[in-house]
Amino acid sequence: MEAVRREVEGCRKCGLWRSRTNVVVGEGPLNAEVMLIGEAPGRIEDETGRPFVGPAGKLLDSLLREAGLGREEVYITNVVKCRPPGNRDPREEEIRACTPYLERQILVIRPKVIVALGRHSASWLYQRAGLRFTSITRERGAAKRIVLGSPLLGDFVKAYLVPTLHPASALYNPSYRGLILEDLMLAAKLLGRG
Ligand code: URA
Ligand code: SF4
């Protein structure tokens, strides 16, 4: 993970390096059973270099607590490590340039459950796992068994994938809050809790 951190800190593989203040590599214990994967850093994340510390992060923290998962026990990162200007969606080529870092992080952490926060994260994970993605509202609410990495090379991870809505969407649409909570409770249940 330290090698990934060093590389990301000097990375210029896509244009997002130009507008970043800090890269946001991710944080949490390296032996975490749950990995949360968001989209891209926002303004406060770019300023602090930490994932999910802005308004969406505050909401995520309380939903995690309600689901019986401590923020300090999960590993949190994003599909892209630098903030897109004005919080626009990350572009296809930016996701392609950045996700080799995420793949390496997944192989280091070896999570039992991966929670995909939002459609960009979920659709990337579905694609890597060879699954067809429809839409986040259709896919959420159920877990999938996935294999990531390279079984041929012997370096792979088997995990449950739990797709859910992005916590930022629940800031604008409070009815989504309960749906994200349901999905986080499903993640806890897959770990044998709750
Ligand atoms: N939204 C994300 O997807 N990631 C963050 O780190 C913060 C907000
Ligand atoms: Fe590198 Fe990813 Fe940042 Fe692009 S977003 S510059 S690929 S670390």
Side-chain angles (χ1 to χ4, degrees), residues 24 38-42 45 50-53 56 78 166:
V24 178
E39 250 162 55
E45 289 78 18
R50 296 183 55 208
F52 282 100
V53 289
N78 286 300
H166 195 286

Side-chain angles (χ1 to χ4, degrees), residues 132-176:
R132 202 176 79 85
F133 184 74
T134 58
S135 75
I136 193 64
T137 45
R138 281 172 80 173
E139 300 294 337
R140 67 147 295 278
K144 290 214 153 35
R145 202 76 179 115
I146 60 166
V147 180
L148 294 171
S150 173
L152 277 179
L153 298 177
D155 198 7
F156 63 94
V157 167
K158 284 184 185 171
Y160 287 104
L161 173 60
V162 175
T164 194
L165 303 166
H166 195 286
S169 68
L171 294 172
Y172 307 105
N173 194 337
S175 66
Y176 290 172

Side-chain angles (χ1 to χ4, degrees), residues 4 94 178:
V4 173
E94 293 160 351

Side-chain angles (χ1 to χ4, degrees), residues 60-120:
L60 178 63
D61 288 356
S62 54
L63 291 171
L64 280 170
R65 208 172 320 114
E66 278 180 64
L69 296 165
R71 160 115 184 184
E72 64 293 336
E73 65 165 309
V74 302
Y75 191 91
I76 309 187
T77 186
N78 286 300
V79 169
V80 300
K81 312 303 192 202
C82 303
R83 182 194 183 204
N87 292 353
R88 67 160 169 76
D89 286 350
R91 295 181 179 137
E92 207 39 57
E93 68 268 21
E94 293 160 351
I95 293 174
R96 210 174 320 114
C98 206
T99 42
Y101 298 125
L102 177 58
E103 299 211 28
R104 284 163 65 194
Q105 289 175 302
I106 294 170
L107 289 169
V108 170
I109 305 286
R110 316 193 76 77
K112 295 199 172 106
V113 178
I114 298 176
V115 179
L117 301 168
R119 116 185 109 84
H120 288 284

